[in-house]
Amino acid sequence: MKNGTLRLLLLFVLTLVSLGHAHYSLGKEKVTHLHFFYQENLISNHPSAVLAAKPKDTTVNASNLAPFGAVYVLDTPLTEGQDPNSKVVGKLQGLSVSAGEDKAMVVFIVDFGFTSGEFNGSSISALSRNPILETDRELAIVGGRGKFRMARGFANLHTNYINATSGVVIVEYNVTVFHYE
Ligand SMILES: *[C@@H]1O[C@H](CO)[C@@H](O)[C@H](O)[C@H]1NC(C)=O
Ligand SMILES: *[C@@H]1O[C@H](CO)[C@@H](O)[C@H](O)[C@H]1NC(C)=O
Ligand SMILES: *[C@@H]1O[C@H](CO)[C@@H](O)[C@H](O)[C@H]1NC(C)=O
Ligand SMILES: *[C@@H]1O[C@H](CO)[C@@H](O)[C@H](O)[C@H]1NC(C)=O
């Protein structure tokens, strides 16, 4: 290709790129804090998590719920209070992948969809390690939809209640999200 043609092509691409930017402007950045409780129920007749895959020759049972290689699909209610019967404000949907070879550690690939209040219809996404054996832990928030478009932030988690026999786990979430108005 001649130098002149190359320069023209470059100019064309640059024009396209800058036109693309000119058509979209974000509002003012703001910070939102969210507080809710994750109500996991593994064993009831209406579980919020189902085992979708596991390695051949690996046993999954009450004393070994998340062995390396297990994949759960989650559809878990998020409530306003710690009481499982308190108001549902959204649901978490996605995957929990057991990715710890020598200790229980999962990677969460999940969407938190809100169904009430100011953020009804909007959601945030996490793609993060979730070291479930640690009572306090942090997830990375990597994006969002609706009012949370272009979101990023972090979630502080605290396991409030865990009962391996009944398969009930309640986790408190405080989420800090940076997004645009
Ligand atoms: C659960 O699975 C583990 C690992 O295979 C096994 O050692 C244990 O005996 C099982 N426990 C029950 C209650 O079945
Ligand atoms: C949330 O939004 C949906 C869809 O727009 C609507 O049907 C529902 O009534 C809303 N819920 C609340 C609690 O505002
Ligand atoms: C969430 O924030 C509240 C209020 O500041 C605090 O009492 C609670 O301990 C926090 N929990 C987590 C998991 O960060
Ligand atoms: C755990 O769940 C079992 C079965 O539902 C129940 O019998 C037991 O009391 C629970 N333990 C605690 C500490 O809540």
Side-chain angles (χ1 to χ4, degrees), residues 47 76 92 150:
T76 305
L92 172 149
M150 305 282 288

Side-chain angles (χ1 to χ4, degrees), residues 117-157:
E118 186 188 350
F119 299 107
N120 185 13
S122 296
S123 65
I124 53 175
S125 305
L127 196 168
S128 181
R129 303 165 56 86
N130 184 359
I132 50 179
L133 292 183
E134 293 169 22
T135 305
D136 291 286
R137 50 201 190 273
E138 179 183 334
L139 303 186
I141 303 298
V142 297
R145 297 170 48 259
K147 291 195 170 162
F148 291 123
R149 194 179 280 177
M150 305 282 288
R152 65 215 187 290
F154 54 92
N156 292 116
L157 278 60

Side-chain angles (χ1 to χ4, degrees), residues 58-64:
T58 295
T59 311
V60 175
N61 60 28
S63 53
N64 195 28

